[in-house]
Amino acid sequence: MPDSFLLAVAVGLIYLGALACIYRILLSYRTTQGAIAWIIALVGLPYVAVPMFVLFGRHRFGGYVRARRLGDESLTSLLNRFEQQTTSIAPPAADRFTDELQVLCRLGRQPFTDGNRCTLLRDGEATFEALFEAMEDATRYILLEFYIVRSDRVGRRIKSILERKLAQGVEVWFLYDDIGSVFLPRKYLKQLAAAGARVASFGDGNVRRRRFQINFRNHRKLLVCDGQIGFVGGINLGDEYLGTAMDQEPWRDTHCRIEGPAVTGLQLAWLEDWNWASNEFPRLDWAPRDNQPGNDEVLILPTGPADTWETCTLFFLNCINNARQRLWIASPYFVPDFQIMNALQLAALRGVDVRILIPEKSDSRLIGLAAYSYLVQACQTGIGIYRYQPGFMHQKVILVDDRYAAVGTANLDNRSMRLNFEISAITTARHFIDSVESMLELDLESSRRMTESDYRERSILFRLGIRAVRLLAPLL
């Protein structure tokens, strides 16, 4: 068979593949910009774009959706029990509960609960101290889910505690993201499994996951002990949060500790991810405490690409559009799409104090540069963009007026909005709001407010470069 014929067949198959990809895009795209970019690439460079689309192009995590459907009966039953057994402060007819908070309940498919105690953990040292203590005190089981796990000092301490608790008869379920934890030695995981822990990654090993795509990542960071104490926030398991990794300055990050019925919400999110990763429903404690540990109102909001809507995008838009006096957002990655940026501008124009706190030093050069491209839009409407100076600021925190605050894992970028599984804790507790306000005020004091001149006084090559980088926003 002539080589020219084989080449023609190969070219034909590539273009047929490109047409199939375009067909899929036209049926299911969520943003016109992304759809147009993919179509241009598929037409102009099909040899590169077709395999790239297969790996990165799909906008919805179909495999997880199917797994969710398979487990829907069990999950729905647990969700119904959660609502029935806890004091929900957001029933459909709750006049005192605002529409914006009712919306968040619908987005997260969970109730806002009362009777919690929520504690702000301002940095890595406070967070790890609290995590270690909670694990040491666990008597029945420990659930972990982290994007990054390292085999450094912090990682070895975690492993040591887990092995000791396993020897005491405490059950351990350990879920990690295989891309985020790509440098975690297999030996670390094998030793945990040998000690009796159930270990699973978010991307390996299940027949249902053969269509898994590496662009969908589990970016959640949470811990639950005995179904009664939980943790969620931006901190992974690594020395960088203590400033002891490779002589780095400490990463500035935030977590929170929750005790009370809202921990069930964390446990439900973990269970759905574990079911996807292992096709298993562990038997856990779902009974609420008789004595409520506090009076804080808390909602757990999981978001991700398996949701019916763009849940994370709607969460941010809901916060921005309903802010009345103040909207402070801390995010290490500030690459908003046009609808988020427009909403921020409108908030500033109606008199809201909009402040965006981002790092001066970033672990992503492109994202750090992309933020410059939003300066003129921001400054002309009164949005304050502040660059945190000491170390790398990695926290994900939102403060809306004096009404509620959120601590979680979601960034102001395309990955969090459309590709990553994220999770946040939202509370109306005044003491927690005051703690977040105090923390962010200190961070803002250590920051530099950017101005239009930071953009306009740079060279034309710099300005062209960052505008070009902004075109990559859907990929950053």
Side-chain angles (χ1 to χ4, degrees), residues 21-32 34-35 38 52-65 211 213 215-217 303-311 313 414-421 474:
C21 293
I22 292 171
Y23 170 78
R24 188 175 186 88
I25 290 168
L26 292 175
L27 284 181
S28 61
Y29 70 85
R30 284 190 175 180
T31 66
T32 54
W38 274 116
M52 290 291 288
F53 183 82
V54 171
L55 285 175
F56 302 108
R58 291 171 62 197
H59 74 278
R60 195 151 182 247
F61 198 167
Y64 194 102
V65 173
R211 296 178 69 188
Q213 295 183 334
N215 58 331
F216 296 118
R217 308 311 322 157
T303 65
D307 297 342
T308 304
W309 311 291
E310 284 189 10
T311 314
T313 301
N414 183 66
R415 292 210 61 85
S416 285
M417 302 295 170
R418 300 181 177 90
L419 299 175
N420 287 346
F421 288 84

Side-chain angles (χ1 to χ4, degrees), residues 119-123 127 131 146 221-223 231-236 253-257 407 432:
T119 305
L120 185 68
L121 303 171
R122 294 188 173 209
D123 53 32
T127 297
L131 290 178
F146 284 88
K221 299 105 177 167
L222 64 90
L223 169 73
F231 298 83
V232 66
I235 293 180
N236 291 291
D253 214 329
T254 302
H255 230 67
C256 68
R257 179 186 188 273
V407 174
F432 193 89

Side-chain angles (χ1 to χ4, degrees), residues 49-322:
V50 169
M52 290 291 288
F53 183 82
V54 171
L55 285 175
F56 302 108
R58 291 171 62 197
H59 74 278
R60 195 151 182 247
F61 198 167
Y64 194 102
V65 173
R66 290 187 293 276
R68 173 180 282 173
R69 288 172 182 161
L70 291 172
D72 248 354
E73 185 176 343
S74 298
L75 286 167
T76 299
S77 175
L78 289 172
L79 280 166
N80 290 338
R81 285 179 57 191
F82 182 27
E83 290 186 291
Q84 292 166 5
Q85 293 178 348
T86 58
T87 305
S88 173
I89 62 168
D95 292 335
R96 75 178 187 86
F97 217 60
T98 61
D99 290 342
E100 63 183 295
L101 297 182
Q102 297 275 12
V103 166
L104 296 181
C105 294
R106 293 190 64 187
L107 288 177
R109 303 185 303 158
Q110 291 194 22
F112 236 110
T113 61
D114 202 352
N116 302 282
R117 181 165 60 204
C118 199
T119 305
L120 185 68
L121 303 171
R122 294 188 173 209
D123 53 32
E125 184 175 352
T127 297
F128 291 132
E129 183 180 341
L131 290 178
F132 298 154
E133 180 182 2
M135 288 190 293
E136 294 281 13
D137 291 341
T139 59
R140 287 169 291 162
Y141 60 83
I142 301 172
L143 315 176
L144 300 99
E145 179 174 353
F146 284 88
Y147 178 62
I148 296 174
V149 182
R150 303 195 191 281
S151 183
D152 52 17
R153 190 177 70 175
V154 167
R156 290 192 297 272
R157 175 76 182 276
I158 293 285
K159 178 170 169 287
S160 174
I161 293 173
L162 294 178
E163 289 173 336
R164 185 163 59 254
K165 299 308 292 186
L166 285 162
Q168 295 171 7
V170 176
E171 294 184 286
V172 172
W173 284 271
F174 187 95
L175 179 61
Y176 67 97
D177 186 273
D178 50 307
I179 297 298
S181 301
V182 65
F183 297 114
L184 182 66
R186 299 300 98 181
K187 181 179 179 182
Y188 183 104
L189 300 168
K190 289 179 180 178
Q191 288 176 342
L192 265 181
R198 279 86 153 182
V199 178
S201 82
F202 198 69
D204 292 334
N206 190 309
V207 172
R208 292 178 316 185
R209 285 186 297 224
R210 288 177 179 171
R211 296 178 69 188
F212 177 77
Q213 295 183 334
I214 62 174
N215 58 331
F216 296 118
R217 308 311 322 157
N218 192 321
H219 195 238
R220 295 170 179 169
K221 299 105 177 167
L222 64 90
L223 169 73
V224 173
C225 295
D226 294 337
Q228 306 296 333
I229 299 174
F231 298 83
V232 66
I235 293 180
N236 291 291
L237 302 183
D239 286 357
E240 58 266 36
Y241 298 93
L242 297 172
T244 58
M246 299 176 288
D247 297 322
Q248 292 179 350
E249 294 180 87
W251 286 29
R252 170 72 190 90
D253 214 329
T254 302
H255 230 67
C256 68
R257 179 186 188 273
I258 303 169
E259 188 177 1
V263 176
T264 300
L266 287 176
Q267 192 163 267
L268 280 165
W270 177 91
L271 180 63
E272 191 171 30
D273 289 343
W274 183 266
N275 175 53
W276 154 255
S278 66
N279 197 24
E280 177 189 8
F281 265 75
R283 297 185 64 181
L284 305 173
D285 181 13
W286 301 100
R289 282 187 174 183
D290 292 333
N291 297 321
Q292 295 179 334
N295 300 307
D296 298 347
E297 301 167 345
V298 179
L299 169 70
I300 301 301
L301 180 65
T303 65
D307 297 342
T308 304
W309 311 291
E310 284 189 10
T311 314
C312 191
T313 301
L314 294 176
F315 163 61
F316 276 105
L317 287 173
N318 192 57
C319 293
I320 298 166
N321 291 335
N322 287 286

